Each structure stands twice: as C-alpha cells, then as structure tokens.
Amino acid sequence: MTRRRWIAEHWDEATATLVGTQAEHMIRVLRAQPGMEADVVAGGHVFHAELAAIENGEVRFNLLAELEAEPALPVTLVMAIYKFDHMEWAIEKATELGVATIAPMIARRTEKHLAQAAAKRAERWRRIAREAAQQARRSDVPVIHDPATLESHVRQASTATRIVLAEQERSTTLRYALEQAIAAAGEETPVLEIAIGPEGGWAPAEEALFDANGWRAVSLGPRILRAETAAISALAVIGSFLE
Ligand code: SAM
C-alpha cells in the first residue's frame, strides 16, 4: 500500500505545514499525533517527514529526508474554456496524467456566459488540480493560469514546441509532430504547448492565427472528440513518448 502524500501549503528548508481542510482531516479523522511519519510535498519536492506539532488547526512537520520524485510532463495544456463540469473533469484527468501547466483560454467560440464567469472559477480549478495531484501522489501541483484571451497567448513568443489539436487536420498526426520535436530536441526533453479548442471548435481566424504564429496543426484521427477526450488522448500519447 503506497503511503499517502500530503501537499504542504507553507514550507521552509526544515519544516512544512498543512493548513485548512488537509490539516483538519489529519487532526479530526486521522487523529494525528506528534511523531507520526508521512510523505510531505513541499515546493515540488517530496520528503519523508515527522509530525512535529499541531497548533491552531495547523499541522507542522519536520522534513527528515528528500525522496525520489517524478517530474511533471513538460506540457502546458492551452485549453479553450467550455462547459465547466466537463472542463473540470479534464483538469482532474490532465493532472493525473502529469500535465505541468494549464492555461484556460477564452476562444472565439467560448460561450459568452462561460467567458464572463471563468475568472471566478480559477480558484476552484486550482483546488481540483491540488486534490487530483494529491490523489495521484504527484510531487507537484499543476500551475493553473488565470483565464486569458487565446489571441494574446498564441501571439506570445515562446521556446516551446507549440501544437494545436485541429479537428480539420488530416495529414499531420500528433505522433509525427512529437517524433519530430523529440528528434529536434536531441538530448533534451522538448517542452510542449498543446492547444485544444472549445465545443464549437476553432474559428477560421484562430486557425489562421495559429498558423501565422508557428503552431503545428495535428490530428488525433478521423473522429471528432470532445475537448476533454482530446486533452486526455493527447496527454496519454505524449506521456507514452516522454516517460
Ligand atoms: N465543433 C467541432 C466539430 O464538430 O468539428 C468539434 C470541436 S471538438 C468538440 C473540441 C476540440 O477538440 C477541437 O477544437 C480540437 O482541438 C480537439 N479535437 C477533437 N477531435 C479532434 C481530432 N480528431 N483531431 C484533433 N483535434 C481534435
């Protein structure tokens, strides 16, 4: 049975502290006491730790020894905002699959009411990612950016290999684009950005913008996938190449 990992909210070089619901669970449900041992994640590193003190509803650990941690997939999911429940499911699955960063985007076909409500949902998305990271025993929590407009992001300069999942694309597969990116990266591991459109797909002007800014359009096959299915499929394919 693998030991549960706790992701600390606060830490320094010698201690890490749980607060809020995690601390409450540890105190009330697990009846934790000083001396209890646990794996604690602090600042993207995993430590074997020992409970030092419980004070004012917070649980402080002494960090005893750093443990082997698995790196996240060097992937940013540039995800057009769509139906929140489906999108939140995709955030949870993308976290389990190792994504490093999720950048929610307002695309032309993002429904207006979702675009307006998105900024207020970012904290909820971060909580979902944190809980999924804990469950997946990750040593880090994916970064969830505040929602931005797709056009501003597409135009931004970047050293990443930028790939747009395009349902109309037929000739270039994700697999082929990855093989090329890996070959070009030599000994390094390529850093990737993967863009996924909203339920209504990409607008023609967005497809032209991707193309004009060096994004590679790729296909995930002849069938039209839901955005969340496309996200999971793409991350699974990338993980099979990079892990
Ligand atoms: N409204 C579009 C249509 O019916 O053609 C479907 C958009 S799909 C629900 C949402 C996003 O998932 C697309 O914009 C694309 O990024 C991705 N996607 C879905 N199927 C894909 C495929 N076969 N190849 C590449 N990307 C795909």
Side-chain angles (χ1 to χ4, degrees):
M1 167 78 170
T2 50
R3 257 202 316 225
R4 179 167 172 174
R5 254 178 211 176
W6 301 86
I7 299 179
E9 281 83 5
H10 308 299
W11 63 86
D12 57 32
E13 64 286 342
T15 66
T17 303
L18 303 185
V19 301
T21 50
Q22 286 194 104
E24 202 177 318
H25 181 83
M26 201 166 247
I27 297 166
R28 289 196 201 294
V29 175
L30 302 182
R31 301 246 179 264
Q33 294 296 325
M36 183 187 108
E37 296 189 0
D39 288 354
V40 175
V41 175
H45 299 271
V46 188
F47 296 88
H48 177 215
E50 183 181 74
L51 201 158
I54 295 174
E55 282 157 1
N56 311 322
E58 297 190 350
V59 180
R60 193 175 69 254
F61 284 88
N62 289 328
L63 303 179
L64 304 178
E66 185 165 351
L67 303 172
E68 188 71 22
E70 78 304 322
L73 279 179
V75 178
T76 293
L77 201 52
V78 178
M79 190 153 67
I81 289 165
Y82 58 104
K83 264 198 208 110
F84 287 155
D85 53 350
H86 291 233
M87 193 175 152
E88 290 167 1
W89 188 80
I91 289 171
E92 181 182 76
K93 300 310 158 198
T95 299
E96 291 172 46
L97 285 163
V99 77
T101 306
I102 296 176
M105 292 289 143
I106 296 167
R108 289 192 182 212
R109 292 178 182 166
T110 293
E111 290 176 41
K112 290 287 164 280
H113 71 286
L114 297 178
Q116 283 152 7
K120 287 202 258 343
R121 296 288 283 218
E123 271 322 302
R124 177 179 157 82
W125 294 340
R126 292 182 179 115
R127 186 171 49 72
I128 289 170
R130 173 187 204 77
E131 288 169 3
Q134 185 130 315
Q135 181 276 329
R137 289 175 50 72
R138 282 186 57 158
S139 49
D140 61 341
V141 181
V143 172
I144 312 267
H145 288 311
D146 285 333
T149 58
L150 181 83
E151 291 178 29
S152 63
H153 186 88
V154 171
R155 293 182 200 282
Q156 250 172 26
S158 167
T159 54
T161 297
R162 307 177 97 181
I163 292 171
V164 52
L165 299 184
E167 61 273 26
Q168 311 307 340
E169 173 60 32
R170 282 292 170 269
S171 57
T172 305
T173 62
L174 173 58
R175 175 191 170 137
Y176 179 72
L178 287 175
E179 285 167 343
Q180 284 205 311
I182 290 167
E187 293 302 304
E188 302 294 309
T189 300
V191 175
L192 305 168
E193 286 194 36
I194 305 289
I196 300 183
E199 282 155 305
W202 298 119
E206 289 169 330
E207 291 175 332
L209 188 71
F210 278 119
D211 189 42
N213 286 275
W215 291 67
R216 185 102 190 250
V218 303
S219 170
L220 285 174
R223 288 167 293 280
I224 296 295
L225 310 175
R226 285 181 183 274
E228 57 271 29
T229 313
I232 293 171
S233 316
L235 286 170
V237 169
I238 293 166
S240 70
F241 273 89
L242 300 187
E243 286 193 318

